[in-house]
Amino acid sequence: MAASLTDSHCHLNFELLRNNLPQVLQNARESGVGHMLCVGVTIEKLPEVLALAHEYPNIFASVGVHPDEQLGHDPSIEELVQLAQDTRVVAIGETGLDYYRIKGDMTWQQDRFRRHIRAACVTGKPLIIHTREAAADTIRILKEEGADRVGGVMHCFTEGWDTARAALDLGFYISFSGIVTFRNAESLRDVARQVPADRLLVETDAPYLAPAPHRGKTNEPAFVRYVAEQLATLRNISLDELANTTTNNFFSLFHDAQPIGIGD
Ligand SMILES: [Zn+2]
Ligand SMILES: [Zn+2]
């Protein structure tokens, strides 16, 4: 029996996937993807994420508001802690900083990020960090807030080795998405070769960022296999070993997630 893959970051409740969910889940199964983490990006849509995680034992949920979400409800620490009490919630996020999409005074984004880190520390649940064109501030705030107490993952990693090293030093994991398969991503592939095996995760960020050879199409958890194959090649190990390692890492980091047994 081949080792099973885990998609550590996807958005199954987004329309492109939700409208086709039975097929999407069947494709995942057939590609050897045993577990998925459906990541929350708004409070308004959180009930959809939780419903999926309650319906399917191999789908887990997280609670958070994405840094690009400027208009929706911006929860307090207490609200985040309360929402994270749901038995299927294994992480806080996605949260972080994104200076690419929105410009101007980013104090509001940084305040929100700090509230998520504090909620993670209260609940003991790890963080899912999104960072884009904001690596220095992201690392600085993680340090200032003592995020090393709970750890987490730098999701859809696209930064250089210095940022990876700083995140690793805080006890964080590094997750690679389909971007690592893109033709122009040679420097990211260099980073992917260097991340210690016990800190490595794979993800799709579906429905976005489909890996080669499906680039530009709707992404889905089944395609995490292409990410895993790329990483296995880069690191000179078998796909089976890569799958085993990243799935074990997933359950070490997201310690509230219970794996389903084979045949469940
Ligand atoms: Zn993200
Ligand atoms: Zn995401």
Side-chain angles (χ1 to χ4, degrees):
M1 179 72 195
S4 123
L5 286 158
T6 303
D7 185 354
S8 71
H9 190 118
C10 59
H11 301 285
L12 291 167
N13 62 311
F14 287 16
E15 232 170 282
L16 282 165
L17 295 174
R18 192 185 54 201
N19 290 345
N20 195 23
L21 197 65
Q23 186 68 52
V24 165
L25 295 180
Q26 189 186 326
N27 293 347
R29 212 174 310 120
E30 287 172 1
S31 287
V33 180
H35 300 89
M36 292 151 266
L37 174 46
C38 185
V39 174
V41 295
T42 65
I43 298 304
E44 288 78 0
K45 296 282 175 74
L46 180 64
E48 295 177 6
V49 174
L50 296 179
L52 284 171
H54 280 277
E55 184 170 356
Y56 300 97
N58 61 336
I59 299 177
F60 308 106
S62 74
V63 169
V65 180
H66 193 288
D68 287 344
E69 297 288 342
Q70 212 168 0
L71 301 176
H73 181 59
D74 206 1
S76 65
I77 300 168
E78 293 71 23
E79 281 175 278
L80 289 167
V81 169
Q82 183 59 38
L83 292 166
Q85 298 309 309
D86 185 288
T87 55
R88 299 297 294 165
V89 171
V90 302
I92 302 294
E94 59 186 292
T95 181
L97 301 174
D98 192 326
Y99 298 169
Y100 174 77
R101 294 259 183 93
I102 306 168
K103 308 287 181 193
D105 182 356
M106 301 306 264
T107 310
W108 63 273
Q109 217 182 56
Q110 296 170 3
D111 287 348
R112 176 190 289 173
F113 183 27
R114 289 181 192 277
R115 269 180 271 130
H116 280 72
I117 300 170
R118 290 175 195 186
C121 290
V122 172
T123 60
K125 293 184 198 287
L127 286 153
I128 300 168
I129 306 294
H130 171 110
T131 184
R132 191 162 181 197
E133 294 192 2
D137 282 359
T138 301
I139 295 291
R140 176 176 57 82
I141 290 173
L142 286 173
K143 281 186 187 158
E144 286 173 3
E145 296 292 336
D148 55 333
R149 285 174 289 163
V150 284
V153 55
M154 306 296 284
H155 110 87
C156 194
F157 195 78
T158 54
E159 303 294 331
W161 177 248
D162 287 355
T163 302
R165 184 69 263 168
L168 291 165
D169 288 345
L170 288 169
F172 276 63
Y173 291 63
I174 308 287
S175 178
F176 292 94
S177 69
I179 292 175
V180 78
T181 70
F182 293 177
R183 201 175 325 179
N184 58 358
E186 201 45 58
S187 59
L188 186 61
R189 282 189 279 278
D190 280 340
V191 175
R193 285 185 188 96
Q194 296 178 68
V195 172
D198 62 354
R199 299 291 191 83
L200 193 65
L201 294 174
V202 286
E203 67 172 87
T204 57
D205 209 8
Y208 310 120
L209 294 170
H214 298 289
R215 191 172 177 180
K217 301 203 189 111
T218 299
N219 199 2
E220 57 179 89
F223 294 169
V224 82
R225 190 183 186 90
Y226 297 103
V227 180
E229 280 170 352
Q230 173 69 268
L231 290 182
T233 303
L234 289 174
R235 298 168 69 90
N236 260 313
I237 58 173
S238 66
L239 176 60
D240 226 41
E241 184 180 345
L242 193 286
N244 221 342
T245 299
T246 51
T247 290
N248 286 339
N249 290 347
F250 178 88
F251 287 103
S252 304
L253 173 60
F254 300 109
H255 42 79
D256 290 340
Q258 293 296 322
I260 59 165
I262 291 164
D264 280 8

